[in-house]
Amino acid sequence: MQLGEGLRALGFETLPAHGNFIAFKTSRAKDIFDRLIERGIIIRPLDQYQLHDFLRVSVGRPEENQAFLAALADIVASFKQETAARQAA
């Protein structure tokens, strides 16, 4: 699975890519950034460009892209679990 396709499959909007990175939109940019850093996966926030809801990921080798997408899918699932737990409380 390609990186952009994987991001869209997880429900993220992506910007058109014109280089070796993809920017994607999320309302939880800081949370995702922090959790990926905890896992040793480095991406870049785009706050400096006034795109506070966007993160940028570099296109890597297929196994790196898959590791990123798997970690991101796990983080998205944990957000859903946290939301469900708060609603049940």
Side-chain angles (χ1 to χ4, degrees), residues 12-78:
F12 295 102
E13 175 187 340
T14 60
L15 296 179
H18 299 288
N20 68 337
F21 62 86
I22 297 175
F24 64 100
K25 185 175 185 177
T26 173
S27 62
R28 304 214 37 194
K30 172 126 176 56
D31 294 329
I32 289 173
F33 173 81
D34 290 342
R35 292 188 188 196
L36 286 170
I37 289 293
E38 288 172 3
R39 295 169 184 236
I41 298 174
I42 301 170
I43 61 172
R44 299 283 178 234
L46 295 178
D47 291 337
Q48 67 196 38
Y49 303 106
Q50 305 306 312
L51 297 171
H52 304 291
D53 291 339
F54 283 87
L55 296 168
R56 185 188 87 180
V57 59
S58 295
V59 176
R61 295 186 310 261
E63 62 273 13
E64 293 169 327
N65 295 340
Q66 287 302 323
F68 162 73
L69 290 170
L72 187 57
D74 187 51
I75 291 166
V76 168
S78 73

